[in-house]
Amino acid sequence: MKPFRVLEFLQHRREVEMDTIQTATFDPHRRRLLGTAAMGIAVAPLGLVAPARAHAGPSKSAPAGATGATFSALRHVRAGVLDIAYAEAGPKKGPPVILLHGWPYDIHSYAEVAPLLAAAGYRVIVPHLRGYGTTRFLSADTVRNGQPAALAQDVIELLDALGIGKAVIAGYDWGGRSADIVAAIWPERVKALVAVSGYLIGSQAAAQAPLPPEAELQWWYQYYFATERGRAGYAKNRHDFAKLIWKLASPKWAFDDATFDRSAAALENPDHVDIVIHNYRWRLGLAQGEARYDELESRLAQFPSISVPTITLEGDANGAPHPTPESYAKRFTGKYQHRLLTGGIGHNPPQEDPHAFAQAVIDADHL
């Protein structure tokens, strides 16, 4: 099957709308033009589909800002230790795609990617990670664990809860790491992978090796979070902290306050600080993980290869710490492509260049 292109988005739009069983409006005033250098085709956004297996009623997401697309309603599903809040777009019977956000961002990184993929016939699922938005732990007694294995396990639990056997999985930052882990450990659940900054699987042992001073400087916040002062500072100033990270990670992205505020609302989750602090302390070996993940972390410490069809992406202006493409290309042993996104694209490609990200998902599915 040949990959879909922009014109085919439009050809599939009517089929998508006919197959949609329930919609929640995707703000029509927030759409942007879908253009390549050769064409400027406007694609009206689709509604969000409420899946048949979801429970309870929809919960409102953060309010729309002055600019940018937004998800107007979310659904919830019990998955493992979580009640996961997620947006869904596209036909219920379409090929599933899971889109995973990073820190300190939220599902709105994909607010413009989701309707593009839905228009191409995909069933798009965009979950709030543990510690974000209206995703909640089912029990007050559950450890607020941010280790990579736990976050990846959440993806498997989500697939199971939604009755999805296999999906295209895409992500960046924390979401990219989880996508990598799922593809490496559970390849039978992954049809294709799109991973920003490539291979992000690591281990506590590997993190003990010192980096050159310039590289260590990029991780300043990790060392800040290792202190109680850092924990208190993040809890008190998470809004300003996140905005600083956005600016440093994407120095050429001219996002406005409304765009940032829409996502920053997700950081008010009561478990957010615990998850973030545990994640970064665990990486340095300063916090313990849960025994249930020991075997999985042991496998990840061996840096397993990824055999599923994969496209890796990198922005030409990514200001966050990230490996070079040549350092990880050999980790991908199946069909593989790497793409450099130019024009000042930083650490959050799905929001900074949604068309290129959506095309990568479609193309990975057809490698």
Side-chain angles (χ1 to χ4, degrees):
M1 183 180 297
K2 295 182 179 179
F4 290 97
R5 296 295 174 185
V6 176
L7 287 176
E8 291 174 285
F9 285 163
L10 297 176
Q11 293 170 357
H12 281 262
R13 176 178 169 81
R14 182 169 180 79
E15 294 177 16
V16 171
E17 293 178 320
M18 293 297 292
D19 198 40
T20 299
I21 59 172
Q22 182 177 346
T23 61
T25 303
F26 187 98
D27 190 346
H29 301 294
R30 309 300 181 202
R31 70 181 185 234
R32 63 177 287 174
L33 291 180
L34 262 189
T36 62
M39 61 182 108
I41 303 173
V43 177
L46 299 182
L48 304 181
V49 181
R53 294 192 60 180
H55 70 79
S59 62
K60 294 298 182 181
S61 67
T67 62
T70 185
F71 296 110
S72 63
L74 304 182
R75 302 295 294 178
H76 288 256
V77 66
R78 292 193 172 196
V81 300
L82 299 172
D83 179 286
I84 296 179
Y86 65 97
E88 182 168 351
K92 181 183 175 183
K93 295 182 181 180
V97 174
I98 308 295
L99 303 177
L100 304 172
H101 69 81
W103 170 84
Y105 306 89
D106 84 325
I107 61 173
H108 287 96
S109 290
Y110 297 106
E112 293 181 74
V113 171
L116 300 182
L117 294 176
Y122 289 94
R123 178 189 181 189
V124 187
I125 309 292
V126 192
H128 270 301
L129 305 186
R130 56 170 61 193
Y132 294 80
T134 51
T135 289
R136 295 289 187 271
F137 285 88
L138 296 174
S139 171
D141 298 327
T142 302
V143 176
R144 271 39 178 178
N145 184 349
Q147 73 184 104
L151 291 161
Q153 183 69 49
D154 290 344
V155 180
I156 296 298
E157 300 286 1
L158 176 63
L159 291 174
D160 289 345
L162 295 177
I164 296 173
K166 197 170 189 176
V168 178
I169 300 183
Y172 69 98
D173 195 79
W174 286 25
R177 181 174 295 104
S178 293
D180 283 344
I181 293 172
V182 173
I185 303 299
W186 296 280
E188 71 280 2
R189 307 299 298 270
V190 181
K191 187 178 181 184
L193 170 69
V194 173
V196 176
S197 297
Y199 190 91
L200 297 176
I201 297 174
S203 70
Q204 286 181 319
Q208 301 307 307
L211 301 173
E214 186 175 352
E216 296 282 18
L217 178 62
Q218 289 188 301
W219 288 106
W220 63 272
Y221 53 88
Q222 180 171 246
Y223 303 115
Y224 181 63
F225 290 159
T227 69
E228 285 306 300
R229 178 178 176 177
R231 179 191 183 91
Y234 187 60
K236 180 180 181 180
N237 303 304
R238 73 187 80 174
H239 186 280
D240 290 342
F241 198 104
K243 181 174 281 190
L244 174 61
I245 294 295
W246 279 36
K247 291 178 178 178
L248 294 175
S250 299
K252 296 185 178 181
W253 182 25
F255 62 88
D256 59 17
D257 287 343
T259 297
F260 173 76
D261 290 344
R262 187 174 59 244
S263 289
L267 310 184
E268 297 304 317
N269 182 296
D271 301 309
H272 179 75
V273 173
D274 287 341
I275 296 298
V276 171
I277 297 302
H278 185 265
N279 177 281
Y280 286 106
R281 290 184 181 182
W282 183 91
R283 295 192 202 187
L284 293 177
L286 301 177
Q288 292 185 337
E290 292 180 84
R292 71 172 77 180
Y293 301 114
D294 286 352
E295 181 180 357
L296 177 53
E297 292 292 0
S298 178
R299 293 176 65 185
L300 295 174
Q302 302 303 311
F303 300 100
S305 62
I306 294 175
S307 61
V308 305
T310 299
I311 292 178
T312 57
L313 301 175
E314 192 58 80
D316 65 345
N318 186 357
H322 61 278
T324 60
E326 56 269 20
S327 71
Y328 56 70
K330 291 183 179 180
R331 299 288 185 186
F332 299 95
T333 58
K335 295 179 179 179
Y336 174 71
Q337 292 181 11
H338 176 75
R339 297 179 181 180
L340 177 66
L341 305 182
T342 60
I345 304 303
H347 192 59
N348 181 6
Q351 198 162 6
E352 297 177 59
D353 193 347
H355 178 265
F357 195 92
Q359 192 66 62
V361 171
I362 294 168
D363 291 346
D365 185 31
H366 294 85
L367 280 179

